[in-house]
Amino acid sequence: AAVAAGFHGVEFDVRTSRDGVPVLMHDETLERTTNGTGFVWDHTLAELKRLVLLDSDPDAPERVYTLAEYMDYLQQLDVIAEIEIKQKSAPT
């Protein structure tokens, strides 16, 4: 969508799965953007890959992307990526 709108770059957030794989996810928790629950870092990549992104097309549901998958995709589009690496929040 960003490229179609004429943008030359995208910004996205990355968090780490329980087994250490960087995945694209803005929120700490899964409820707002997926059909899952809990913290991103409490789930393995395999568990995250079973989730569906809530704003995806029901006929072509999108899954959680790994950073590697998304970077491969962006390379094909020849766009710049600004990556924000998120960490676990400190307990309150």
Side-chain angles (χ1 to χ4, degrees), residues 28 39 88-92:
E28 294 181 329
F39 291 107
K88 290 182 184 180
S89 294
T92 56

Side-chain angles (χ1 to χ4, degrees), residues 25-76:
M25 188 67 59
H26 174 77
D27 295 356
E28 294 181 329
T29 58
L30 300 166
E31 289 83 358
R32 187 177 69 86
T33 57
T34 75
N35 63 337
T37 61
F39 291 107
V40 175
W41 54 79
D42 286 340
H43 297 272
T44 65
L45 178 60
E47 292 167 339
L48 293 171
K49 282 295 197 178
R50 287 193 290 269
L51 302 179
V52 175
L53 300 180
L54 293 180
D55 62 352
S56 62
D57 181 345
D59 295 327
E62 288 188 81
R63 307 288 177 175
V64 174
Y65 292 97
T66 66
L67 176 59
E69 290 168 340
Y70 203 66
M71 293 304 291
D72 286 345
Y73 171 69
L74 292 180
Q75 188 173 22
Q76 296 170 24

Side-chain angles (χ1 to χ4, degrees), residues 81-92:
E82 181 177 322
I83 305 167
E84 185 173 336
I85 308 227
K86 303 277 192 163
Q87 298 181 357
K88 290 182 184 180
S89 294
T92 56

